[in-house]
Structures are given as C-alpha cells and as structure tokens.
Amino acid sequence: MLTNMGTRVIVASALLLALARESVARESVREYVIDLDSPPETRYNEIIHDSANGFNTTVWKFYNEYFANDKVLTDLLYGIIDKRGQESSAEMHAEIQGLAQMSGLPFKFVHVVQLLYELQTLMVPVVNFTQLPLPKGYEALRRIPWRGPGCTGIIATNKADGTVSHARNLDFSPVDVMKNLVYVGIFKKNGNELFRAQLVAGYVGLITGMKHGSDGFTIERNTRYPDHVDGNEEMFHNLEGGRATNGWTLRKIMEEQTTYAAAVDAIKAAPFISTEYSIVSGVRKGIIISKDPDTVAYTQVLGEVNVDERADYIIITNFDFFNHDIREYFDPTGGQIGYPRRIAAQKVLNSTDVLTPEVLFETINHKGVIADTIFQAVMNVETGLWNVSIPDLSN
C-alpha cells in the first residue's frame, strides 16, 4: 500500500518525465552502490570494471588528448600535488590510490582530478578584464581543458502544499567527455542507504547529494569566483598547504550529519580551499551559503527578504549578483552576453505564482538557463523526490 508521500513522489516523477519528453531529450543516470564498509581502495572497482559504462575509456581518452603530451601543464599540476602531499584524510587518499590502480591512470593525474572545483575558481568564463590574474608561474593553468562547473541552483516553496523543492543544473565542459562520466552513487553502511550523490567518475568528492529522512537535506555545490584581487593566491595557499578539498568536506558532512540544521552549521564552520556556494534544502526550509575559505560571506534564506528574489524562492548561479558582480553579465554560458542564466531563470519563476517541481524543471531547461549541462536534478526531501537525468544537448 502506498503512503501519501509515496503517492506524491510517483505523481511528481510522472509529471516530470512527461515534461522531459516535451523539452530536451535526456538519458537516465547509471546507479552504483558504494559500500562504505568496504576498504576505500576497492570501493569503485565495480564502476571501473563495468565496461558497459565506458568510464575508464572516456577518462583515458581525456587524459591522452589533453594531458599526456602537454609536459608544461602536467609538470605544473604534478608540482602542485607534490607541494600538497598526501591527503589529510587517509580514507580519501586510499580511494584515490584505488582509482589509479584499477584504472591504470597515473596516480598524480587522478589526484589532480580531485582539485577540479578549486582550480576552476581561476577560470572566470570570460577572457577579459573581469578575470583575476594568475600568480606568476601558474600561467599554464589557462590550458586546463575543463570549463565549469558552472551551475544553476533554485530552492522554492510550493504555495499549494508548503513543500520545498530543489532544482539544479550542473554545467561542465567539454560536454562530450563529462556527460559520459556522470553516475549516481548510493552510499551504504551496514547494508542501508546513508545518502545518495551525483558523481563524476574518477572524482571522489560530493557534487550533488540527498539524505532522506524526516529531517534530511540536499546539498548542491556551485563554483563561486573570488571577489578580491588576492583570491587566487589565497586559494593556492590553502590548496598547496594540504587543506581538505571542498568536495570531500561536503561528502563527510553528508555522511556524518543527521539533520538539516547540523549540516548547515557544519558547512558554515568548515574551512574550504576556495570560494564556493553551498545550496542546501530540507523539509520546508532552504539556504544558499556563499563561502569564503574561512568565513561565510553571505547567506540567502528561503522565506526571508533577499535581494531581487521573491520570498518563495532563492537562486544562485556562479556570481554574487546580490553584490552586483558585473562579471555575471559577461558570462556567455547561457548563450547571450548581457543576459545571465540567473535572469533567464527568474523570468520564468517570476511569471509563475505556484512553484511546483514541474515549474522548477521547466525553469532549468529554459533557453538561456540550460547551458553545457551534463546533469539535472529536482529533489524534495519531504516527499522523497529524487528525479535526475542527463540532458541531450545535441540539438
């Protein structure tokens, strides 16, 4: 017999699937169990051994095309790893070692992959006056082939039933590589699901996650670019000093914290390597935390007075729009300079009175919002909704 919650999840999922058929074509996301009771070195063996997913072939192609023959870039990246040393978490270090051993990829390359979010803060998606200078000796990092993670995150209250839904786009290029590495990990302990997360093969940090339960929570992370001239130097100081990666910190919060409030407090207090947005929703609540490495720069709380947002939603892409960050208007990822993804999304949200999961799904698929999107999610902790997919951008 279905509970009310189960019925609502089925209805919402069916509506989202119907909308999906009418909007962008999409693919389902592969799922794998990650057993936290097993040795860290072997947790990803099934994923690497499953030739049907093509993950290992894709990563090798990526490595050979962009890194294997670029000695200047790899020497710089591996030099950063040498300064960083072994990860402070023995568990994380062992997971990286296991991935390198099973895939056959160079260990230092797999280690560098763990730094992709932090290094991305250097790459404001415009090559003009809005980009902070790279420190001397690090100029070759301009050749890093990934762009993103650019993202859109929305948390909204449905006035019809009071529930809160969380929608996200993960934008990450080169799309033809990154979309072929996306999967969902079901993290289990003692045979029970602890949380679930959207992951990229070869990367052990959290990108998008959800913890079920009456006081469960979701976490999305978005790149946030530094807002002061010393921001890049600060990031490198933390990176090379061995501070835990943002993604690993968030994964442990997802694993260890049992309530929404505890997760929010832990994120606020956690030292990060780089600036970043943490978008967190719970049962009838939500917050966007704009993080500096050692402090909280700004918060947007659902239901409170926020800059340029209705009380029933909060939104963020990759820029401090609440502080009038002009770089947002030079971001071409939504397809048009001067018309940011946030503005395109808010045009849809502001024209709709009741923000259902279906409206949020329509919003993140709207022209000007969807970009180099390799993963989409609509989540609702209260109803248990976890609707995830990979959009087909070929058309």
Side-chain angles (χ1 to χ4, degrees), residues 196-198 206-211 217-219 254 379 386:
R196 56 184 53 207
Q198 172 259 320
L206 184 83
I207 301 176
T208 312
M210 178 172 176
K211 192 164 202 169
F217 53 91
T218 66
I219 297 177
M254 183 67 76
M379 304 166 282
W386 168 264

Side-chain angles (χ1 to χ4, degrees), residues 142-212:
R142 295 270 184 237
R143 299 211 295 275
I144 287 177
W146 61 73
R147 287 294 179 270
C151 304
T152 301
I154 306 166
I155 300 174
T157 300
N158 181 345
K159 294 178 185 176
D161 62 12
T163 65
V164 167
S165 295
H166 180 171
R168 83 100 87 233
N169 277 353
L170 172 64
D171 307 331
F172 207 173
S173 65
V175 172
D176 60 341
V177 173
M178 296 302 175
K179 79 180 185 68
N180 293 322
L181 298 175
V182 173
Y183 70 99
V184 168
I186 311 296
F187 287 79
K188 291 190 174 184
K189 261 185 176 280
N190 302 317
N192 299 314
E193 179 179 331
L194 194 59
F195 65 95
R196 56 184 53 207
Q198 172 259 320
L199 302 168
V200 171
Y203 181 75
V204 302
L206 184 83
I207 301 176
T208 312
M210 178 172 176
K211 192 164 202 169
H212 291 285

Side-chain angles (χ1 to χ4, degrees), residues 28-34 46-47 50 53 55 182-186 188 193 196-197 386-388:
S28 59
V29 185
R30 294 176 184 271
E31 289 188 358
Y32 294 92
V33 170
I34 298 175
E46 178 190 358
I47 297 169
D50 183 2
N53 62 37
F55 290 166
V182 173
Y183 70 99
V184 168
I186 311 296
K188 291 190 174 184
E193 179 179 331
R196 56 184 53 207
W386 168 264
N387 187 285
V388 299

Side-chain angles (χ1 to χ4, degrees), residues 76-117:
L76 176 56
L77 290 170
Y78 295 170
I80 291 172
I81 291 298
D82 289 338
K83 292 176 184 177
R84 181 171 175 78
Q86 182 169 318
E87 289 300 317
S88 57
S89 166
E91 179 186 13
M92 179 182 178
H93 200 79
E95 287 191 4
I96 298 169
Q97 288 178 317
L99 283 167
Q101 182 177 355
M102 295 307 302
S103 67
L105 288 158
F107 170 77
K108 286 186 179 180
F109 173 73
V110 180
H111 201 170
V112 161
V113 167
Q114 311 313 312
L115 311 179
L116 62 86
Y117 255 88

Side-chain angles (χ1 to χ4, degrees), residues 155-157 159 301-315 346-355 359:
I155 300 174
T157 300
K159 294 178 185 176
V301 180
L302 185 65
E304 297 186 2
V305 176
N306 296 296
V307 175
D308 293 337
E309 294 166 313
R310 285 189 343 205
D312 58 343
Y313 75 82
I314 49 179
I315 183 172
Q346 287 190 277
K347 184 176 180 180
V348 180
L349 297 172
N350 291 339
S351 66
T352 310
D353 184 48
V354 179
L355 301 179
V359 170

Side-chain angles (χ1 to χ4, degrees), residues 24 26 152-154 166-171 345 348-349 357-371 373 375-378 387 389 391:
V24 179
R26 57 197 60 250
T152 301
I154 306 166
H166 180 171
R168 83 100 87 233
N169 277 353
L170 172 64
D171 307 331
V348 180
L349 297 172
E358 297 77 40
V359 170
L360 297 188
F361 185 79
E362 179 184 357
T363 302
I364 62 175
N365 281 284
H366 198 270
K367 183 178 180 181
V369 181
I370 196 167
T373 306
F375 174 83
Q376 294 182 307
V378 180
N387 187 285
S389 59

Side-chain angles (χ1 to χ4, degrees), residues 5-313:
M5 184 180 80
T7 302
R8 280 188 289 176
V9 172
I10 290 172
V11 170
S13 296
L15 288 169
L16 288 170
L17 287 171
L19 275 172
R21 285 192 291 269
E22 294 176 6
S23 58
V24 179
R26 57 197 60 250
E27 306 168 24
S28 59
V29 185
R30 294 176 184 271
E31 289 188 358
Y32 294 92
V33 170
I34 298 175
D35 184 2
L36 294 175
D37 294 315
S38 65
E41 295 88 346
T42 64
R43 287 176 184 166
Y44 300 95
N45 284 6
E46 178 190 358
I47 297 169
I48 295 171
H49 283 149
D50 183 2
S51 59
N53 62 37
F55 290 166
N56 204 37
T57 301
T58 300
V59 176
W60 264 103
K61 181 181 177 182
F62 183 60
Y63 169 75
N64 285 328
E65 184 170 351
Y66 295 105
F67 296 92
N69 299 311
D70 191 338
K71 190 174 186 310
V72 174
L73 177 58
T74 53
D75 281 354
L76 176 56
L77 290 170
Y78 295 170
I80 291 172
I81 291 298
D82 289 338
K83 292 176 184 177
R84 181 171 175 78
Q86 182 169 318
E87 289 300 317
S88 57
S89 166
E91 179 186 13
M92 179 182 178
H93 200 79
E95 287 191 4
I96 298 169
Q97 288 178 317
L99 283 167
Q101 182 177 355
M102 295 307 302
S103 67
L105 288 158
F107 170 77
K108 286 186 179 180
F109 173 73
V110 180
H111 201 170
V112 161
V113 167
Q114 311 313 312
L115 311 179
L116 62 86
Y117 255 88
E118 290 77 9
L119 290 173
Q120 171 55 26
T121 62
L122 303 169
M123 307 301 173
V124 180
V126 230
V127 183
N128 61 14
F129 68 93
T130 70
Q131 203 159 33
L132 297 178
L134 283 175
K136 185 175 175 58
Y138 291 86
E139 293 85 358
L141 291 178
R142 295 270 184 237
R143 299 211 295 275
I144 287 177
W146 61 73
R147 287 294 179 270
C151 304
T152 301
I154 306 166
I155 300 174
T157 300
N158 181 345
K159 294 178 185 176
D161 62 12
T163 65
V164 167
S165 295
H166 180 171
R168 83 100 87 233
N169 277 353
L170 172 64
D171 307 331
F172 207 173
S173 65
V175 172
D176 60 341
V177 173
M178 296 302 175
K179 79 180 185 68
N180 293 322
L181 298 175
V182 173
Y183 70 99
V184 168
I186 311 296
F187 287 79
K188 291 190 174 184
K189 261 185 176 280
N190 302 317
N192 299 314
E193 179 179 331
L194 194 59
F195 65 95
R196 56 184 53 207
Q198 172 259 320
L199 302 168
V200 171
Y203 181 75
V204 302
L206 184 83
I207 301 176
T208 312
M210 178 172 176
K211 192 164 202 169
H212 291 285
S214 59
D215 198 8
F217 53 91
T218 66
I219 297 177
E220 166 192 350
R221 50 195 295 233
N222 288 14
T223 297
R224 176 175 178 250
Y225 300 105
D227 59 359
H228 59 286
V229 293
D230 296 324
N232 289 342
E233 286 83 356
E234 184 179 14
M235 187 276 291
F236 278 117
H237 173 78
N238 295 330
L239 187 75
E240 295 175 346
R243 184 175 287 194
T245 66
N246 302 358
W248 184 259
T249 296
L250 291 171
R251 180 176 141 184
K252 298 310 284 186
I253 288 171
M254 183 67 76
E255 180 180 336
E256 295 169 359
Q257 302 305 323
T258 58
T259 67
Y260 168 87
V264 168
D265 288 345
I267 292 170
K268 287 180 176 180
F272 276 18
I273 287 176
S274 64
T275 51
E276 193 165 295
Y277 299 106
S278 298
I279 300 95
V280 188
S281 74
V283 176
R284 307 200 175 207
K285 60 193 80 170
I287 188 171
I288 298 173
I289 306 167
S290 300
K291 285 278 292 182
D292 286 338
D294 295 302
T295 60
V296 173
Y298 193 84
T299 59
Q300 299 155 257
V301 180
L302 185 65
E304 297 186 2
V305 176
N306 296 296
V307 175
D308 293 337
E309 294 166 313
R310 285 189 343 205
D312 58 343
Y313 75 82

